[in-house]
Amino acid sequence: MALEVLVASSAPAGRAVIVSGLNKRFDVRPVLADLSVELQAGEFVALLGRSGSGKSTFLRVLGALDKEVEGYVRVPRRRAVVFQDPRLMPWLPILRNVTIGLPQTAAVKANALRALAEVRLEHKADAWPRTLSGGEAQRAALARAMVRDPQLLLLDEPFGALDALTRIRMHALLRDLYLRHSPAVLLVTHDVDEAISLANRIIVLTDGRISLNMPVDIAPPRQRDDRAFGALRQRLLAELGVERG
């Protein structure tokens, strides 16, 4: 695999991610098949697909968590990943979880406290992970990602384990963080409505290939009862092989 990590603050011509001819196999089964795609700096892209379509594998490649692939991948140096499981260290308080892997300087601590304030968790800086609700734990995971000032934010179904009301609040929080910091974002999700609500562009993976790649041309605020929202939902569900009555 040719993996090039950008040292500059941005990619040429505003491109945050460049992927060309990406292939991945598990034993003899192809998972990603000659995949080529680009993400622009500051673009929010949602990645949909059935289970086993290669979504999470692709995200792991962009995060340099899976290098056993063929092809060319160019990504920014500053990347952060948020998973469905917040992956907090239970023996560390929240502030130390947010700064884990970073130099423990006064400046880093101050940045971490600002990140916790952005996700409305500054009052939990000294709390232990076991005392947090599911939504609070995922907000801490977002703070841990954002304190690294990522040029590329990778989200692997980060709200899949949350209840419906908490998911709505997390959508609003993620949208606010995105508008404030403007990273390129790749959100892997099974939720079609989530993808339409948040993304500027939606990609559908089918058997490791891109079967649909389209912008979301719906002006905010995007309401689920809006006709354009419903029409796009129907198109995406059809692409995913889901029939709606």
Side-chain angles (χ1 to χ4, degrees):
M1 171 189 178
L3 173 63
E4 182 177 351
V5 178
L6 293 180
V7 178
S9 60
S10 62
R15 291 174 290 178
V17 173
I18 303 172
V19 176
S20 179
L22 184 61
N23 290 279
K24 169 72 177 181
R25 292 178 176 272
F26 288 146
D27 295 325
V28 297
R29 183 174 68 88
V31 179
L32 299 174
D34 196 29
L35 193 131
S36 297
V37 69
E38 295 182 359
L39 272 68
Q40 301 301 309
E43 184 180 23
F44 196 130
V45 176
L47 186 62
L48 291 168
R50 302 182 190 181
S51 295
S53 62
K55 302 186 304 300
S56 292
T57 299
F58 180 60
L59 179 140
R60 289 177 62 83
V61 171
L62 296 189
L65 301 174
D66 188 344
K67 299 182 180 180
E68 299 299 318
V69 297
E70 299 175 354
Y72 176 81
V73 179
R74 188 170 189 174
V75 292
R77 166 172 287 183
R78 298 199 312 272
R79 306 180 303 280
V81 185
V82 179
F83 298 96
Q84 185 175 123
D85 183 336
R87 303 191 179 190
L88 301 177
M89 303 296 105
W91 56 86
L92 294 176
I94 297 306
L95 183 62
R96 281 288 288 111
N97 264 284
V98 170
T99 62
I100 194 166
L102 299 175
Q104 297 303 302
T105 64
V108 168
K109 181 178 179 180
N111 286 338
L113 288 171
R114 281 193 289 270
L116 284 171
E118 284 189 325
V119 299
R120 299 186 291 279
L121 276 183
E122 64 272 26
H123 61 293
K124 297 283 188 176
D126 296 322
W128 298 100
R130 67 176 180 272
T131 67
L132 270 57
S133 67
E136 288 174 333
Q138 203 62 312
R139 279 152 55 194
L142 278 173
R144 183 177 57 201
M146 299 311 299
V147 79
R148 287 154 173 81
D149 189 24
Q151 296 160 296
L152 175 61
L153 179 61
L154 302 166
L155 305 167
D156 194 1
E157 300 191 61
F159 313 133
L162 303 178
D163 65 81
L165 290 178
T166 303
R167 284 174 69 109
I168 292 172
R169 298 188 186 100
M170 292 297 290
H171 289 168
L173 175 60
L174 176 59
R175 189 181 300 110
D176 180 62
L177 291 172
Y178 167 67
L179 293 174
R180 188 176 302 175
H181 296 276
S182 300
V185 179
L186 181 71
L187 169 67
V188 168
T189 179
H190 281 99
D191 189 331
V192 170
D193 283 8
E194 181 173 85
I196 300 172
S197 296
L198 293 172
N200 307 128
R201 179 160 56 107
I202 296 176
I203 295 172
V204 177
L205 273 187
T206 303
D207 297 329
R209 298 179 182 273
I210 294 176
S211 60
L212 185 66
N213 185 349
M214 61 178 297
V216 180
D217 294 324
I218 303 175
R222 296 172 182 169
Q223 304 294 337
R224 300 189 182 201
D225 58 354
D226 180 81
R227 181 175 297 178
F229 194 111
L232 181 54
R233 179 197 293 122
Q234 289 294 96
R235 180 173 181 183
L236 292 170
L237 288 172
E239 186 66 31
L240 293 165
V242 179
E243 295 182 4
R244 294 290 292 267

